[in-house]
Amino acid sequence: MKRVILAAALLTALFIPSCKRHDIPEEFNYKVKPEKLGVSAEKISSLDDILQGFVEEGKVPCVTAFIAKGGNVVYEKSFGFKDLENKVPARPDDIYVLFSQTKAIVAVALMTLYEQGKFDLDDPISKYIPGFSEQVLTSVGDDGTYTVVPAERPVSVGDLLCHSSGYLAPLTNKLNRILGSSGQGPFAPRGTVGEGVESNKTLPLGFQPGTQWNYNFDMDVVAYLVEILSGKSLQEYLRETLFIPLGMDFTAYYYDDPSLKDRFVCTYSKEDGKFVKSRMSGIDHLFDGPKTYAGGTFGLWGPIQDYAKFCQMLENGGEFNYHRILRSETVQLMLQNRLPEVNGGGEGFRFGLGFELFTHPDKKKIAPQMSDSCFRWGGAAGTEYLIDPDNDLVILYYISVRGDTGTYPVFLKAAYDLFE
């Protein structure tokens, strides 16, 4: 399996046009006139109206959007208020809570260690984290009784990167809740991500490794593995390997400069039709807390342009800001489907090493203009990124609202409409 996936990645890389490998944008060009890319002022104005309409219709408190084609920034604007109560206008350099956008960054960090020969995707995770469970739950009773069978194979590193390990899957979490309520279960401390993984690693898996897709806490194990293989904290490794080389100057788990507080966007949820600040709007712990817990599932904050740099690096085949983060072959390897045909993610659902893919013919597109080469993910408060190599596009959409607002598909179609 490993050789087949690697061969497919190498073949794909060979057929990438030479201009994609050599003539790539190393920085964003903000000076281009949109008309030169076929984008009219009328279409820009129409997109403005759509985003402003989201705010005026009470669908979102604020929104920031970023669109680049071939590294040329066609659109970067904000609308609404990042703090509704104090009527603070949103700005493009605002700092948003990224939630699960953390996952792709940590996945890429681990793949830099893959390129160093530190591990193989088919390696069992127990090779690096001894004692990782090799039992699979078959039933859990309400009284905490349960049955298990041996895992058909150990959980691999690749399973964790594509959320198919069974680690902390629903059946496992049911058992964990029952045992925890009776004082028998492990309570994972939050001092470090390693402490959390060590507390949970012996829990039986929720399904046979590689047979299902379960979006849960696999990336915390990946984060811990980054620390084990690099010999550094995750925060340190991300700064050295990704953030500094790419110029992602304001992406972090924690912050030291209190003058940045004015740039943070409040996070909201809707209750009885009104926006209410969530507990995520409290940011003092980011500046004054212990600053030790940094995981792979969530935790990062940052502005839209920082993450756009990360996306453009992937679109470029692993290089941006005159730094190569990954080889193009490794990026292509990350974009190979790792899931079985039927996996619980929905019709045509495919997932690579950190990203949702759109290569299945039955996969429904978020916007009809998306190419099959697209890959994406997002965060729980409405931040979204999409990379479309065939159309040479990087598109990001940031709001800060828990729950589905229904606005992203409308925006994404309008973003593609700019170029039609």
Side-chain angles (χ1 to χ4, degrees):
M1 180 66 176
K2 171 179 62 179
R3 292 193 182 96
V4 171
I5 293 173
L6 183 55
L10 291 172
L11 282 172
T12 305
L14 287 174
F15 286 97
I16 298 173
S18 60
C19 63
K20 289 292 291 177
R21 289 181 304 205
H22 304 298
D23 186 18
I24 60 173
E26 293 287 0
E27 54 190 28
F28 286 122
N29 177 16
Y30 283 87
K31 297 180 180 179
V32 67
K33 294 183 178 180
E35 293 84 356
K36 289 190 175 181
L37 299 173
V39 179
S40 67
E42 289 77 16
K43 288 183 176 179
I44 293 285
S45 179
S46 176
L47 183 53
D48 288 346
D49 292 342
I50 288 171
L51 298 183
Q52 182 62 41
F54 292 162
V55 174
E56 293 176 356
E57 293 162 17
K59 294 180 177 179
V60 299
C62 70
V63 55
T64 299
F66 180 101
I67 304 168
K69 186 173 180 66
N72 298 295
V73 179
V74 176
Y75 197 90
E76 187 185 35
K77 293 185 181 181
S78 296
F79 300 84
F81 298 101
K82 62 185 173 189
D83 182 339
L84 278 174
E85 292 72 17
N86 295 301
K87 294 290 186 269
V88 182
R91 294 177 44 176
D93 66 349
D94 286 336
I95 296 173
Y96 285 77
V97 57
L98 300 181
F99 280 115
S100 288
Q101 284 192 208
T102 302
K103 291 179 171 70
I105 287 177
V106 174
V108 166
L110 184 63
M111 293 307 288
T112 64
L113 294 163
Y114 168 83
E115 289 193 345
Q116 297 173 31
K118 299 284 189 179
F119 72 94
D120 192 275
L121 292 172
D122 290 336
D123 284 346
I125 190 63
S126 56
K127 179 178 179 180
Y128 308 102
I129 306 175
F132 209 88
S133 179
E134 294 190 8
Q135 291 186 320
V136 177
L137 287 166
T138 56
S139 67
V140 176
D142 291 338
D143 60 353
T145 59
Y146 62 93
T147 58
V148 296
V149 296
E152 295 172 0
R153 64 168 176 78
V155 170
S156 72
V157 178
D159 293 331
L160 292 159
L161 282 163
C162 68
H163 303 283
S164 66
S165 72
Y167 173 75
L168 294 184
L171 202 58
T172 306
N173 281 331
K174 178 182 178 180
L175 174 62
N176 205 14
R177 285 194 300 272
I178 294 171
L179 295 178
S181 64
S182 63
Q184 304 174 60
F187 290 88
R190 298 276 298 181
T192 67
V193 69
E195 290 175 350
V197 173
E198 290 291 342
S199 293
N200 291 317
K201 69 180 182 181
T202 58
L203 288 168
L205 306 172
F207 53 78
Q208 290 288 349
T211 63
Q212 298 182 37
W213 185 79
N214 175 65
Y215 190 59
N216 210 315
F217 294 96
D218 291 41
M219 292 304 297
D220 277 351
V221 185
V222 171
Y224 185 30
L225 184 57
V226 169
E227 295 189 333
I228 291 170
L229 296 178
S230 70
K232 300 178 180 180
S233 72
L234 181 66
Q235 294 185 73
E236 182 182 4
Y237 193 74
L238 292 183
R239 280 195 301 269
E240 292 179 0
T241 308
L242 294 176
F243 299 157
I244 292 174
L246 292 176
M248 298 172 67
D249 298 332
F250 300 101
T251 300
Y253 289 92
Y254 303 99
Y255 295 82
D256 296 321
D257 182 358
S259 70
L260 294 175
K261 288 185 178 182
D262 291 340
R263 289 175 55 181
F264 280 73
V265 177
C266 295
T267 306
Y268 293 89
S269 58
K270 253 192 174 179
E271 296 180 10
D272 299 323
K274 295 182 180 180
F275 289 115
V276 178
K277 279 185 180 180
S278 80
R279 62 183 181 84
M280 292 302 301
S281 291
I283 61 170
D284 287 344
H285 68 286
L286 302 180
F287 294 84
D288 305 325
K291 302 182 181 181
T292 57
Y293 190 91
T297 301
F298 58 87
L300 284 174
W301 296 68
I304 200 167
Q305 190 184 106
D306 270 16
Y307 211 94
K309 294 174 182 178
F310 175 75
C311 292
Q312 190 65 52
M313 176 273 293
L314 293 166
E315 155 67 3
N316 288 350
E319 180 180 347
F320 188 71
N321 199 33
Y322 304 95
H323 287 85
R324 177 158 292 282
I325 306 300
L326 292 174
R327 295 193 293 265
S328 61
E329 296 90 340
T330 304
V331 175
Q332 291 303 315
L333 179 61
M334 297 183 75
L335 301 180
Q336 304 301 309
N337 177 52
R338 299 277 304 189
L339 301 181
E341 189 71 14
V342 178
N343 54 61
E347 187 175 14
F349 185 80
R350 289 178 172 175
F351 208 87
L353 302 175
F355 309 99
E356 181 184 10
L357 311 175
F358 292 82
T359 52
H360 195 287
D362 296 330
K363 174 65 177 177
K364 184 179 179 181
K365 304 286 201 300
I366 302 169
Q369 305 100 317
M370 290 169 55
S371 77
D372 292 348
S373 69
C374 285
F375 55 104
R376 65 157 295 269
W377 205 242
T383 58
E384 297 274 355
Y385 68 90
L386 182 135
I387 302 162
D388 188 339
D390 283 358
N391 288 304
D392 215 1
L393 286 170
V394 165
I395 302 173
L396 295 97
Y397 177 80
Y398 277 22
I399 59 175
S400 198
V401 181
R402 302 297 299 267
D404 184 16
T405 65
T407 59
Y408 180 57
V410 178
F411 158 76
L412 191 59
K413 183 180 183 304
Y416 274 97
D417 285 345
L418 292 177
F419 304 95
E420 295 182 350

